[in-house]
Amino acid sequence: MRAVGLTGYGGPEVLRVVAVPRPQAGPGQVRVRVRAAAVNPADTLLRAGCIANLMRELTPPYIPGQDIAGTVDQIGPGADTRLRIGDPVMAMVIPIRPDGGGYADHVVLDAGWVSRAPAGMSHEEAATLPLNGLTALLALDGLGLPAGSSLAVTGAAGVLGGYLVQLAKHRGLRVVADALPADVPLVRKLGADEVVARGDGVAARLVQATGGPVDAIADAAVIGDALLGAVRDGGAFAQFRGSGEPGGGLHTPRRPITIHSVFVPDYGGRQDKLDELRRLAEAGVLTPRVAQVLPPEQAPLAHRLLEAGGVRGRLVLAF
């Protein structure tokens, strides 16, 4: 089968369409005929070698990709699933495994990792939901804010930031977000109550907009320590990159602030959470955004566009 992989780390040019063995669904597993694979920032970190220490036991080609959508085309013996051959599905994939990630014609996963896709949604739209949707759910579940609490979201115009805003509003939170001038209408449409300018000094603007420090921050823009002043004593801070990743790892706050490190594999195999995303998308609470659809051969271009910044919505590879 086709896959997009790399045999050595580097820039987007290291990505190639390669031929690899088609996997077979084993006991308890489901095989997905991939129709769409979203391109995420985490994929560029893998490609650039930022997580090479986690890949050293694997054999190249390394296959990125953490979001897929497509149809079920094989069900292994004893799989605990209500899915049937031909059902439209979506799944999160962890590429730090022998079979690699989701940039491939077929992906085999344990049945609990695969959920029915939202009704009426294209494969391309569905492929933008699992990774970022689960990340947003995990962050808000971890913060555990009661209705009426204030939440600041950075990077609100991005896919993760947008899902955070929409889910937070659905839970009854007061949301203040940052945005570039051109993105203000988008962020307001997503549901933010107040929008402040991005850039240096954003912490002070968040405090001013809400009349005081917020109860919690979800830092989708990976700004880090500079935001701590916007959180009240006893508040919380959700960070989305670990200390070993670029921009990750907060210093220990000198004030009583709880740091939540959001590690999305914690929701791996949580079909109940994927089903929650499906229901929220079907209800219009979450609105997937597809920026551009490209063939696998243009995966290098997709990575260049993503790393150049300014993409609103997800770039998607169509298999």
Side-chain angles (χ1 to χ4, degrees), residues 189-202:
K189 185 177 180 181
L190 290 168
D193 297 289
E194 291 96 13
V195 182
V196 304
R198 289 192 66 177
D200 292 343
V202 67

Side-chain angles (χ1 to χ4, degrees), residues 38-262:
V39 178
N40 286 281
D43 304 343
T44 68
L45 296 180
L46 185 156
R47 187 213 72 227
C50 297
I51 58 170
N53 62 312
L54 302 177
M55 309 287 289
R56 61 180 179 272
E57 302 296 328
L58 305 180
T59 302
Y62 308 127
I63 301 171
Q66 294 189 248
D67 272 321
I68 60 170
T71 54
V72 175
D73 81 337
Q74 191 180 64
I75 299 175
D80 183 13
T81 181
R82 296 181 180 179
L83 296 171
R84 297 293 179 264
I85 302 296
D87 283 350
V89 293
M90 61 182 182
M92 180 177 72
V93 186
I94 303 299
I96 310 169
R97 61 184 194 132
D99 287 343
Y103 292 6
D105 283 328
H106 292 84
V107 170
V108 168
L109 295 164
D110 289 344
W113 290 68
V114 184
S115 172
R116 189 178 299 275
M121 191 168 287
S122 70
H123 294 310
E124 293 79 11
E125 290 171 323
T128 75
L129 270 172
L131 176 65
N132 292 279
L134 288 174
T135 302
L137 275 180
L138 180 57
L140 292 173
D141 289 350
L143 291 173
L145 299 171
S149 301
S150 57
L151 174 72
V153 177
T154 66
V159 176
L160 173 58
Y163 287 158
L164 283 164
V165 171
Q166 290 184 310
L167 287 172
K169 288 306 299 177
H170 181 65
R171 295 184 178 199
L173 305 183
R174 180 189 178 193
V175 177
V176 55
D178 69 345
L180 295 170
D183 291 326
V184 170
L186 167 63
V187 174
R188 289 197 180 281
K189 185 177 180 181
L190 290 168
D193 297 289
E194 291 96 13
V195 182
V196 304
R198 289 192 66 177
D200 292 343
V202 67
R205 290 191 290 276
L206 292 171
V207 172
Q208 183 178 21
T210 54
V214 296
D215 295 309
I217 284 181
D219 185 22
V222 196
I223 294 171
D225 292 334
L227 292 174
L228 289 171
V231 185
R232 67 170 175 82
D233 285 355
F237 191 112
Q239 61 174 350
F240 297 93
R241 286 191 183 174
S243 57
E245 298 175 312
L250 283 167
H251 295 120
T252 302
R254 297 180 180 179
R255 297 163 43 234
I257 296 173
T258 301
I259 305 300
H260 293 272
S261 293
V262 182

